[in-house]
Amino acid sequence: MSTDEPNSSDITPQMLAQAKKAAMAAQDDHPEGAAIRRQVSLRQGTSGHYTADINQVEFYFSDENLATDLHLLKQCGGHENIPVSISRICGFKKMRPYKPKALVVTSLRKSAFLEVSDDGKTIKRKTPLQGKTLLDEDFIEEDDEIAYDPRTRKPIAYPVPLDPQQKKVYPEGTSKNMQKPTGFESNYVEPPIRPEEAAEEDRMYDEDNPFVERIEIAIQRFKQKRRMHEMYSKIFNKFMRFGGVDVTPRMYQGVSKSEMKDMDAEEIAQVLAIHRVPWDRTDEKQWSVDFYGVGAAFL
């Protein structure tokens, strides 16, 4: 069924009446119908979107598709018939044109095959799936056949873990990225470096290179290997200032990742550096590299 936008010359009174009727139905079937009605467009009312989204979702949960749809099986658990978030369903490629979500929920409530939760957030089959699915290790009976994930084209590893339906809750004031290793853990060990990397470091830290250049590169490479959240980054910057190193905006603004692919480690460190030694502190004889002493005084 076509979903092309109708030309103004093609719009007839019958089409307008059909769109109005669909909007009124949405208003009657949903507690937020008035808001939905304002968002119903002529395209949605005349192109069969109400029927289309029901048919599409019913196909997702059908016996023919669900048994081999590993992604959806990991959401609903196959025979377990776990309710699946409608927001996830609306995120599927073929469902993205159907908006707003409230209108999709209203439409899905009319399905004789699927059941929408009272709060309109989840959906499941009215009758659980029967028979074997890709979640079952013996789904493919032939010994020489291997079950593959249709999405990744890789062999399925059994048992297949189900995806969580609830969003993971993180401690207050933290986020998903803040749970990742930072490099400051007590058991953190830097991975071994390859011979070519060792040779590159020897070149960067050669004693013939200016002291200021070496210390700036060392600071930047230290930062590159650690994940600093905003709070830690502020403390680190204060520590640098306390030790005589200025914190300034990047010298090379707007350098893209594709441009950095052609750079070596030293050039990347210089491009990303925000810690610099002022010109009036470049005398190597006036510097004392004592991280422990500076740290103790700073704290």
Side-chain angles (χ1 to χ4, degrees), residues 22-190:
M24 292 298 293
Q27 182 179 8
D28 294 337
D29 292 346
H30 196 278
E32 297 179 1
I36 294 173
R37 182 182 178 185
R38 289 194 295 270
Q39 299 180 61
V40 175
S41 66
L42 178 62
R43 177 183 176 187
Q44 289 173 318
T46 60
S47 62
H49 273 211
Y50 300 107
T51 303
D53 59 44
I54 288 180
N55 292 343
Q56 186 63 49
V57 179
E58 286 184 340
F59 169 74
Y60 289 146
F61 285 90
S62 66
D63 293 351
E64 295 78 12
N65 179 73
L66 186 56
T68 56
D69 189 337
L70 187 62
H71 179 67
L72 189 53
L73 283 171
K74 291 166 71 175
Q75 311 293 325
C76 70
H79 308 141
E80 297 182 38
N81 202 26
I82 301 171
V84 180
S85 168
I86 292 180
S87 294
R88 286 193 175 185
I89 299 296
C90 289
F92 291 177
K93 185 176 181 180
K94 291 186 178 180
M95 288 297 297
R96 291 172 190 167
Y98 305 128
K99 297 177 181 179
K101 189 181 78 172
L103 197 59
V104 175
V105 172
T106 300
S107 180
L108 291 175
R109 289 188 187 278
K110 300 176 182 179
S111 172
F113 174 63
L114 302 172
E115 179 181 333
V116 178
S117 62
D118 293 338
D119 59 7
K121 293 184 177 181
T122 61
I123 190 170
K124 66 177 183 178
R125 290 170 52 122
K126 290 186 177 180
T127 303
L129 180 66
Q130 305 297 318
K132 295 180 180 179
T133 71
L134 276 178
L135 294 178
D136 300 311
E137 196 166 355
D138 58 347
F139 177 70
I140 296 180
E141 297 180 353
E142 291 79 1
D143 294 337
D144 57 344
E145 291 289 337
I146 300 176
Y148 286 86
D149 184 340
R151 294 164 64 92
T152 63
R153 305 294 181 184
K154 295 181 180 179
I156 299 175
Y158 291 97
V160 179
L162 301 184
D163 292 338
Q165 288 297 307
Q166 300 296 329
K167 289 185 178 180
K168 191 172 182 179
V169 179
Y170 300 103
E172 186 176 356
T174 63
S175 63
K176 180 180 179 180
N177 283 336
M178 294 179 72
Q179 309 305 312
K180 297 179 180 178
T182 62
F184 292 105
E185 292 78 13
S186 58
N187 59 348
Y188 174 78
V189 178
E190 289 193 7

Side-chain angles (χ1 to χ4, degrees), residues 241-256:
R241 292 191 186 97
F242 184 80
V245 179
D246 283 352
V247 182
T248 61
R250 290 181 184 175
M251 182 178 295
Y252 303 93
Q253 297 285 350
V255 178
S256 65

